[in-house]
Amino acid sequence: LERLQHNKLPDELTTPTPLERASLAEQGQTLQQALSQLSDNQRQVLEMNFYQEISQADIAQQLGIPLGTVKSNARRGLIKLRELLGDAVG
Protein backbone atom coordinates (compact mmCIF):
# COMPACT_ATOMS: atom_id res chain seq x y z
CA LEU A 1 0.00 0.00 0.00
CA GLU A 2 2.83 2.39 0.78
CA ARG A 3 4.28 1.92 -2.73
CA LEU A 4 0.93 2.78 -4.28
CA GLN A 5 0.69 5.96 -2.22
CA HIS A 6 3.82 7.25 -3.94
CA ASN A 7 2.26 6.71 -7.39
CA LYS A 8 4.54 3.75 -8.03
CA LEU A 9 3.14 0.46 -9.19
CA PRO A 10 4.44 -2.77 -7.67
CA ASP A 11 7.17 -4.45 -9.75
CA GLU A 12 4.90 -7.40 -10.57
CA LEU A 13 2.58 -4.97 -12.40
CA THR A 14 5.31 -3.17 -14.35
CA THR A 15 7.73 -5.99 -15.26
CA PRO A 16 6.79 -7.50 -18.62
CA THR A 17 6.18 -11.23 -18.83
CA PRO A 18 8.22 -13.32 -21.29
CA LEU A 19 5.26 -13.26 -23.69
CA GLU A 20 4.98 -9.47 -23.42
CA ARG A 21 8.74 -9.11 -24.01
CA ALA A 22 8.49 -11.28 -27.13
CA SER A 23 5.56 -9.21 -28.37
CA LEU A 24 7.44 -5.96 -27.74
CA ALA A 25 10.48 -7.31 -29.60
CA GLU A 26 8.28 -8.30 -32.55
CA GLN A 27 6.62 -4.87 -32.56
CA GLY A 28 10.04 -3.20 -32.51
CA GLN A 29 11.16 -5.29 -35.45
CA THR A 30 7.98 -4.46 -37.38
CA LEU A 31 8.51 -0.75 -36.69
CA GLN A 32 12.15 -0.91 -37.83
CA GLN A 33 11.10 -2.63 -41.06
CA ALA A 34 8.47 0.06 -41.67
CA LEU A 35 10.96 2.85 -40.93
CA SER A 36 13.39 1.34 -43.42
CA GLN A 37 10.80 1.83 -46.16
CA LEU A 38 10.60 5.60 -45.63
CA SER A 39 12.75 8.07 -47.53
CA ASP A 40 16.00 8.98 -45.78
CA ASN A 41 14.68 12.48 -45.06
CA GLN A 42 11.42 11.22 -43.56
CA ARG A 43 13.16 8.60 -41.44
CA GLN A 44 15.79 11.05 -40.19
CA VAL A 45 13.20 13.63 -39.08
CA LEU A 46 11.01 11.05 -37.34
CA GLU A 47 13.93 9.36 -35.59
CA MET A 48 15.30 12.70 -34.37
CA ASN A 49 11.86 13.77 -33.18
CA PHE A 50 10.76 10.55 -31.47
CA TYR A 51 13.93 8.74 -30.41
CA GLN A 52 16.10 11.76 -29.62
CA GLU A 53 13.14 13.94 -28.55
CA ILE A 54 14.32 16.90 -30.65
CA SER A 55 11.65 19.44 -31.58
CA GLN A 56 10.87 20.05 -35.22
CA ALA A 57 12.22 23.62 -34.92
CA ASP A 58 15.52 22.30 -33.54
CA ILE A 59 15.68 19.63 -36.25
CA ALA A 60 15.30 22.35 -38.89
CA GLN A 61 18.10 24.33 -37.27
CA GLN A 62 20.41 21.32 -36.88
CA LEU A 63 19.88 20.14 -40.46
CA GLY A 64 19.89 23.64 -41.93
CA ILE A 65 16.55 23.17 -43.70
CA PRO A 66 13.28 25.13 -43.48
CA LEU A 67 10.86 24.23 -40.70
CA GLY A 68 8.15 23.65 -43.33
CA THR A 69 10.32 20.98 -44.95
CA VAL A 70 10.80 19.25 -41.59
CA LYS A 71 7.05 19.33 -40.97
CA SER A 72 6.29 18.00 -44.47
CA ASN A 73 8.79 15.15 -44.08
CA ALA A 74 7.35 14.27 -40.68
CA ARG A 75 3.77 14.31 -41.96
CA ARG A 76 4.55 12.24 -45.07
CA GLY A 77 6.59 9.81 -42.98
CA LEU A 78 3.81 9.35 -40.43
CA ILE A 79 1.23 8.79 -43.17
CA LYS A 80 3.47 6.18 -44.77
CA LEU A 81 4.13 4.50 -41.41
CA ARG A 82 0.40 4.35 -40.72
CA GLU A 83 -0.13 2.64 -44.08
CA LEU A 84 2.73 0.20 -43.57
CA LEU A 85 1.90 -0.63 -39.97
CA GLY A 86 -1.80 -0.89 -40.76
CA ASP A 87 -0.95 -3.56 -43.33
CA ALA A 88 1.35 -5.34 -40.85
CA VAL A 89 -1.22 -5.31 -38.06
CA GLY A 90 -4.35 -5.79 -40.12
Side-chain angles (χ1 to χ4, degrees):
L1 182 62
E2 186 176 318
R3 282 194 270 181
L4 293 176
Q5 290 174 343
H6 296 291
N7 294 327
K8 184 176 188 242
L9 294 173
D11 290 339
E12 59 271 10
L13 296 178
T14 59
T15 304
T17 66
L19 182 59
E20 289 169 331
R21 281 195 300 272
S23 178
L24 289 171
E26 185 178 328
Q27 290 172 11
Q29 184 179 17
T30 300
L31 178 58
Q32 287 302 316
Q33 288 173 344
L35 282 169
S36 73
Q37 295 183 50
L38 301 180
S39 74
D40 290 340
N41 295 331
Q42 293 168 352
R43 183 175 52 256
Q44 182 179 31
V45 166
L46 291 178
E47 287 178 344
M48 290 177 78
N49 188 232
F50 289 106
Y51 293 131
Q52 299 173 24
E53 298 181 1
I54 301 172
S55 71
Q56 289 182 342
D58 288 341
I59 292 170
Q61 185 177 16
Q62 287 184 23
L63 298 179
I65 59 177
L67 179 57
T69 302
V70 171
K71 289 180 181 226
S72 294
N73 284 331
R75 178 167 167 67
R76 283 190 221 111
L78 288 172
I79 289 168
K80 182 72 173 175
L81 278 178
R82 188 176 298 126
E83 291 170 2
L84 294 167
L85 293 174
D87 290 345
V89 174

